[in-house]
Amino acid sequence: MGALLLGAAAGASCGSSSGSSSSSGGDAGAGGDGASSSSSSSSSSSGSSSSSGSSGSSSGGSSSGGSSGSSSGATPDAGPTCTTPPCITQLVAQSFGHAAVAIRVDSTNVYWTDQGMPPTMNGAVMKIPIGGGTPTVIAGGLLQPGALAVDATNAYFVLYGSPGYVMQVPLSGGTPASLCEQAGAVSLQVDSTDVYWGDYTGDGHVGKIPIGGGTPDPLAVGLLGGLAIDATHVYWTDANANAVLAVPIGGGTVTTLVSGVGIGVQSKIALYGGNAYFTASNGKADGGSVQSVPLTGGSAVTLASGFVKPSEVAVDGTNVYVADYGGNAVLAVPLGGGAVTTLAATNSAPDAIAVDATSVYWGDYGGGVWKVTPK
């Protein structure tokens, strides 16, 4: 694997079989509060926060995006010295082609994967203080890094190249290590014991591997869009099934939370307060929506519609935050539905998003990492 990144050692294959899981309909057996998550990238976080990030000089503005009800209200101050909140700050400005494709945040830093420009090995896993400062390379010389998850110690990320790998590197930086070989992984989550991934290879797969390495454990077959976890289940948006599905975190029977709701390969998912929140699109302009469904299964509720191509979502106790990749906007949708607020209008296809107690962070395909405060 030396041709893929500097100094990394190859790991075991993640495997492609479905393990002991069998597909079935019905309600998913999870309950209680979910972990907030965003995925083209995907770490889990409990309570009201989820991760995403930004960078250095100011810019922005606000305008409408896709919405249901009326598009609202805030006009962020994007000047060099923001005096009228909400304030948009560009934490990092990167050159075109260095897309920030996955983003996470903790109490001190924003983390993201800079995809670089394949076939050049110039991708990286990066971090910057949440208040701004100097970006730090956690791992560099990477070939097309993608999905990202973080815990208190490590960053976990995907290399999209052929054959593809699930990787691990200390948050302080160092030599990345391969946990396993896995092609096509598009979403990652991590808990205290395991790293979970979803991929779109063949019919797609859901699996996990111990955070310290070891034997991969395939959990289910499914063409992944987004992935989220709580203490009992793994949840995902499945483009083949056009459904939101769940499987016990230790493996078992796959259950359907809801189906026939417009799930595609760009659909993402986040959990909060006993519900799954997800993006859907019928593939037409202004045909995207944000919906919710109980983790125990049931009917989906459309919270907002009229998005162009909604992708990543993050959630807190007030709103679902949406990166509308096709609409070039970052928006907030009340958890119960209602008027949509445009937090930022961009020109560079926002695709990764996260939230903490004060701010919303996002990355875009122009290479920038941004935040808006207050959210």
Side-chain angles (χ1 to χ4, degrees):
M1 181 164 150
L4 289 179
L5 75 167
L6 303 179
S13 171
C14 290
S16 59
S17 65
S18 62
S20 60
S21 304
S22 63
S23 180
S24 89
D27 292 342
D33 291 348
S36 168
S37 104
S38 65
S39 182
S40 162
S41 26
S42 18
S43 126
S44 76
S45 59
S46 63
S48 62
S49 65
S50 157
S51 59
S52 165
S54 338
S55 77
S57 47
S58 304
S59 127
S62 80
S63 78
S64 61
S67 64
S68 86
S70 59
S71 210
S72 94
T75 304
D77 181 343
T81 302
C82 178
T83 58
T84 309
C87 302
I88 295 175
T89 304
Q90 187 179 19
L91 296 178
V92 174
Q94 298 180 143
S95 60
F96 181 80
H98 286 261
V101 295
I103 203 160
R104 293 291 178 263
V105 65
D106 62 19
S107 61
T108 57
N109 291 296
V110 180
Y111 306 87
W112 72 98
T113 47
D114 171 0
Q115 194 172 52
M117 299 185 72
T120 305
M121 289 171 50
N122 63 349
V125 180
M126 308 283 293
K127 68 178 180 180
I128 193 171
I130 57 175
T134 302
T136 300
V137 176
I138 298 174
L142 306 178
L143 178 60
Q144 207 174 0
L148 176 69
V150 298
D151 60 19
T153 306
N154 296 304
Y156 307 87
F157 62 97
V158 166
L159 292 181
Y160 284 146
S162 180
Y165 295 88
V166 177
M167 307 293 297
Q168 176 190 72
V169 66
L171 293 181
S172 58
T175 300
S178 172
L179 294 179
C180 62
E181 179 183 310
Q182 178 59 57
V186 293
S187 191
L188 287 182
Q189 296 283 358
V190 63
D191 63 16
S192 61
T193 58
D194 295 288
V195 179
Y196 302 80
W197 74 88
D199 70 74
Y200 56 73
T201 304
D203 289 329
H205 310 92
V206 179
K208 67 177 182 178
I209 189 168
I211 56 177
T215 302
D217 186 4
L219 299 176
V221 171
L223 186 61
L224 258 286
L227 187 77
I229 60 173
D230 64 12
T232 61
H233 283 76
V234 181
Y235 306 85
W236 69 98
T237 50
D238 191 307
N240 275 348
N242 186 13
V244 179
L245 303 176
V247 68
I249 215 156
T253 300
V254 175
T255 55
T256 301
L257 274 63
V258 68
S259 62
V261 287
I263 297 296
V265 293
Q266 282 196 307
S267 296
K268 306 301 182 185
I269 185 171
L271 311 180
Y272 186 85
N275 293 299
Y277 298 87
F278 60 94
T279 53
S281 176
N282 63 8
K284 300 177 182 178
D286 301 321
S289 63
V290 176
Q291 303 178 47
S292 68
V293 64
L295 296 182
T296 52
S299 298
V301 174
T302 298
L303 306 178
S305 60
F307 299 96
V308 180
K309 190 180 286 184
S311 180
E312 290 283 357
V313 289
V315 64
D316 62 15
T318 305
N319 293 307
V320 183
Y321 302 92
V322 185
D324 190 350
Y325 177 89
N328 291 322
V330 177
L331 307 114
V333 181
L335 288 185
V340 176
T341 299
T342 299
L343 299 178
T346 81
N347 296 314
S348 299
D351 191 39
I353 194 167
V355 62
D356 63 13
T358 61
S359 304
V360 177
Y361 306 81
W362 69 94
D364 62 38
Y365 270 79
V369 181
W370 304 78
K371 75 173 182 177
V372 58
T373 305
K375 57 189 179 182

